[in-house]
């Protein structure tokens, strides 16, 4: 692939801020997306196992609906958080993202519908299980399969986008143009690694779950102990599987001895020791976040190197500074997002830490944060729409 083709595919308007900032935001937000993808797949997968034991095992009777609920919420979060890396990737790697979406156009449509059907079926599974313990198994399995399939399609877009040297062959195999949109590429080891991470993630989740609920009187110490040791077993086995997949992937692409790859391996070993010991799962989660960021950086490094070797460096993308847009974005992200998320997290924490039913309206901090979020949201909408309208009218009138 000639660099001039890649450069011609860039947005002629340039990028509104320094590319390195978009790159860092991409790494950060993809790690967040992945965290909830893995939590959704892990909790849902384990809940399916739970539906088979739920009727005769009191621990699974309690745990399964909680796993289903966690998976249900995680899907909505993963969808929202998927949008952010999508935006950043299309700003700095637009040639890659749009070529992949064109070559795999049919799969893009299928992705959307697969995700919609999977999520609707998830609710069906949730209600069927609520109505009848152990209910909705088949629906749950189909929903799970569709979610994994959605991930497989995401993987196809990611892999196709980093194969610029092959694009011409995919577009016109043997010189005959194929505009069907059915291009499909996968890298089994990379995919196995990504999906395998759902196992340690659900293991660490269970350790946190047990720790968090240990202060609640309505959860017996036996149940708390059971979920903690289940989390430890799943976490340890999962980390070993993921570590093996990671090494295989790094060997395949010859990055095993790269400092970043070595840092990930060290991180996974530390995680393994921490999960096995389970002295404080909240700290383990902190280390998991660091490892997730490193993995996200690894994905970016692979893409960056492939593109740099072809003469396309995101750092040379023409910059057309648009300070107001960036300020608006950062304020939205940090102020609206920060306060809103702090409100939700504080409320969730207090619900779990209080005995009996928690009434948020009687809690000073929750009420304050809720009011701030609403106030900021209103101000944000006025500025966002007011600004947008004034620019629109200034341009067309
Ligand atoms: C159940 C649904 C989903 C699953 C299981 C899933 C899973 C994944 C996986 C496994 C990857 C990594 C692929 C790889 O590097 O090989 C990925 C990447 C990504 N996903 Fe998702 N995803 C889902 C939904 C979404 C949605 C709804 C969006 C956007 C709104 C999204 C946006 C992205 C983006 C932007 C990337 C990075 C692509 C790239 O770097 O080229 N995902 N996803």
């Amino acid at each position: 692939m000639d660099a001039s083709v890649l450069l011609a595919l860039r947005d002629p308007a340039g990028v509104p801020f320094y590319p390195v900032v978009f790159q860092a935001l991409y790494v950060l937000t993809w790690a967040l997306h992945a965290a909830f993808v893995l939590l959704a797949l892990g909790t849902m997968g384990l809940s399916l196992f739970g539906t088979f034991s739920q009727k005769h095992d009191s621990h699974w009777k309690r745990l399964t609906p909680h796993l289903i609920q966690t998976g249900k919420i995680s899907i909505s979060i993963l969808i929202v958080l998927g949008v952010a890396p999508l935006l950043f990737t299309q700003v700095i790697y637009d040639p890659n993202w749009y070529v992949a979406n064109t070559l795999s156009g049919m799969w893009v449509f299928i992705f959307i519908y697969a995700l919609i059907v999977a999520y609707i079926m998830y609710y069906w599974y949730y209600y069927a299980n609520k109505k009848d313990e152990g209910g909705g198994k088949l629906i749950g399995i189909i929903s799970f399969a569709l979610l994994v399939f959605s991930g497989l399609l995401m993987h196809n877009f990611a892999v196709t986008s980093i194969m610029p040297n092959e694009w011409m062959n995919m577009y016109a195999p043997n010189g005959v143009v194929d505009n069907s949109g059915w291009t499909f590429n996968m890298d089994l080891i990379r995919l196995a690694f990504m999906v395998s991470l759902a196992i340690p993630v659900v293991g660490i989740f269970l350790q946190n779950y047990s720790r968090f609920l240990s202060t609640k009187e309505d959860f017996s110490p036996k149940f708390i102990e059971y979920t903690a040791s289940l989390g430890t077993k799943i976490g340890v086995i999962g980390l070993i599987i993921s570590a093996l997949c990671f090494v295989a992937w790094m060997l395949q692409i010859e990055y095993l001895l790269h400092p970043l790859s070595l840092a990930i391996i060290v991180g996974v070993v530390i995680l393994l020791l921490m999960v096995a010991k389970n002295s404080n799962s909240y700290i383990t989660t902190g280390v998991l976040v660091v490892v997730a960021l490193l993995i996200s950086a690894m994905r970016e490094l692979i893409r960056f190197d492939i593109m740099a070797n072809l003469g396309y460096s995101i750092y040379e993308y023409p910059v057309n500074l648009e300070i107001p847009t960036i300020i608006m974005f950062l304020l939205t992200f940090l102020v609206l997002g920060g306060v809103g998320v702090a409100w939700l997290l504080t409320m969730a924490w207090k619900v779990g830490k209080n005995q009996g039913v928690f009434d948020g309206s009687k809690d000073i901090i929750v009420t304050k944060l809720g009011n701030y979020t609403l106030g900021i949201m209103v101000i944000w909408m006025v500025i966002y729409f007011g600004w947008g309208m004034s620019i629109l009218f200034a341009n067309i009138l």
Side-chain angles (χ1 to χ4, degrees):
M1 168 69 63
D2 187 343
S4 61
V5 177
L6 293 169
L7 299 178
L9 285 168
R10 292 188 310 196
D11 186 347
V15 286
F17 206 64
Y18 304 105
V20 69
V21 175
F22 291 112
Q23 189 180 32
L25 286 169
Y26 172 84
V27 169
L28 171 72
T29 54
W30 187 81
L32 289 172
H33 169 61
F36 285 93
V37 165
L38 301 171
L39 189 59
L41 294 182
T43 48
M44 187 186 192
L46 192 61
S47 79
L48 287 171
F49 173 81
T51 54
F52 288 93
S53 323
Q54 208 174 8
K55 273 219 161 114
H56 49 84
D57 186 320
S58 64
H59 292 330
W60 283 101
K61 185 176 167 169
R62 200 124 212 228
L63 182 58
T64 308
H66 290 176
L67 291 171
I68 297 178
Q69 179 80 330
T70 308
K72 193 182 78 177
I73 296 168
S74 300
I75 296 175
S76 72
I77 303 180
L78 84 83
I79 295 174
V80 173
L81 290 176
V83 180
L86 190 66
L87 298 179
F88 298 125
T89 211
Q90 66 166 12
V91 170
I92 46 177
Y93 290 106
D94 41 348
N96 306 63
W97 189 246
Y98 290 113
V99 169
N101 274 259
T102 310
L103 289 170
S104 294
M106 284 306 278
W107 292 116
V108 175
F109 278 109
I110 291 172
F111 169 76
I112 304 286
Y113 291 107
L115 191 54
I116 292 174
V117 174
Y119 206 14
I120 290 173
M121 289 184 83
Y122 198 117
Y123 269 83
W124 184 352
Y125 168 53
Y126 165 72
Y127 283 115
N129 191 273
K130 205 171 174 182
K131 187 162 164 266
D132 175 24
E133 275 163 18
K137 289 185 188 72
L138 183 63
I139 299 303
I141 291 171
I142 300 173
S143 167
F144 183 65
L146 282 173
L147 287 172
V148 174
F149 175 64
S150 305
L152 174 68
L153 294 185
M154 262 296 145
H155 168 75
N156 164 36
F157 308 140
V159 171
T160 303
S161 78
I162 52 170
M163 298 168 71
N165 275 330
E166 309 293 323
W167 287 346
M168 215 42 220
N169 286 338
M170 295 175 202
Y171 172 66
N174 303 317
V176 182
V177 172
D178 171 10
N179 53 12
S180 65
W182 285 113
T183 295
F184 192 91
N185 292 293
M186 64 189 277
D187 175 344
L188 206 56
I189 301 181
R190 174 178 169 139
L191 181 68
F193 166 65
M194 301 278 172
V195 178
S196 75
L197 287 168
I199 311 173
V201 165
V202 73
I204 295 172
F205 166 78
L206 280 177
Q207 290 188 337
N208 282 333
Y209 172 86
S210 151
R211 193 176 178 82
F212 184 63
L213 293 179
S214 61
T215 49
K216 277 276 239 194
E217 278 161 10
D218 39 351
F219 288 86
S220 73
K222 263 192 165 172
F223 176 73
I224 297 296
E225 206 188 302
Y226 179 79
T227 46
S229 86
L230 181 67
T232 305
K233 275 183 223 143
I234 295 179
V236 168
I237 296 172
L239 279 169
I240 295 174
I241 297 174
S242 297
L244 292 175
C245 290
F246 181 72
V247 171
W249 179 32
M250 290 298 106
L251 277 172
Q252 178 206 22
I253 55 170
E254 297 176 359
Y255 269 73
L256 187 61
L257 297 178
H258 190 282
L260 190 51
S261 160
L262 295 176
I264 293 172
I265 295 172
V266 171
V268 170
V269 173
I270 296 173
L271 267 183
L272 191 62
L273 297 174
M274 292 179 87
V275 169
K277 202 160 169 241
N278 191 16
S279 52
N280 187 338
S281 61
Y282 297 158
I283 300 179
T284 314
T285 309
V287 178
L288 178 69
V289 170
V290 175
V291 174
L293 285 169
L294 293 177
I295 294 172
S296 183
M298 188 76 217
R299 289 179 76 255
E300 172 53 15
L301 176 74
I302 295 168
R303 174 167 61 178
F304 184 86
D305 284 354
I306 290 175
M307 297 307 287
N309 285 337
L310 293 171
Y312 178 101
S313 168
I314 53 165
Y315 301 136
E316 282 156 24
Y317 212 118
V319 177
N320 193 0
L321 275 186
E322 255 187 77
I323 301 295
T325 317
I326 295 300
I327 292 177
M328 179 71 183
F329 165 76
L330 286 178
L331 286 179
T332 307
F333 191 57
L334 298 175
V335 181
L336 181 59
V339 178
V341 170
W343 173 46
L344 295 176
L345 288 181
T346 313
M347 194 154 50
W349 179 265
K350 293 204 168 195
V351 167
K353 285 294 164 195
N354 275 271
Q355 307 300 341
V357 177
F358 173 72
D359 183 350
S361 64
K362 295 202 176 94
D363 185 279
I364 301 173
I365 300 180
V366 170
T367 311
K368 266 194 179 160
L369 281 172
N371 288 339
Y372 288 157
T373 307
L374 270 178
I376 296 170
M377 182 85 164
V378 172
I379 296 171
W380 183 87
M381 285 200 288
V382 171
I383 296 177
Y384 184 83
F385 287 106
W387 189 9
M389 298 276 179
S390 53
I391 290 177
L392 179 72
F393 291 127
N395 282 341
I396 58 172
L397 292 180

